[in-house]
Amino acid sequence: MDAITLIGAFSVLAAGLCISIGGIGSAIGEGNVAASALRAIAQQPDETSTITRTLFIAMAMIESTAIYSFVITVLILYFNPFWNYAIEAVAK
């Protein structure tokens, strides 16, 4: 295999691992937050608005982790600095 093929293969592998681990972590975190919020609402129905507001803030913060994973995945796939190095090495 040449250098460009290896860089492409490892870039796709790294991007897949990044988005899958980031997505799984965020999904587990959001599930735990939602379960805790539902448990709290069941115990104190009068505080539903406060709990819901806190729930949405926590969900947004957790979701930002998945968004960061997506951004890093896009950077790995489309703005990989090793591509330019490999293309220059092959051109010489």
Side-chain angles (χ1 to χ4, degrees):
M1 286 186 162
D2 60 336
I4 293 178
T5 306
L6 283 175
I7 290 172
F10 284 118
S11 294
V12 170
L13 179 68
L17 285 173
C18 179
I19 198 67
S20 63
I21 292 171
I24 289 171
S26 295
I28 291 171
E30 286 179 6
N32 287 339
V33 167
S36 297
L38 289 174
R39 197 174 307 117
I41 290 172
Q43 290 176 356
Q44 298 177 347
D46 296 335
E47 297 294 325
T48 301
S49 63
T50 306
I51 294 169
T52 304
R53 185 177 347 119
T54 307
L55 168 71
F56 287 138
I57 292 170
M59 288 284 205
M61 293 176 74
I62 293 169
E63 190 64 29
S64 69
T65 306
I67 293 169
Y68 291 146
S69 295
F70 178 70
V71 168
I72 291 171
T73 300
V74 169
L75 289 173
I76 290 171
L77 288 177
Y78 297 108
F79 302 106
N80 193 341
F82 295 114
W83 286 111
N84 296 333
Y85 175 75
I87 291 171
E88 289 173 5
V90 170
K92 290 181 182 179

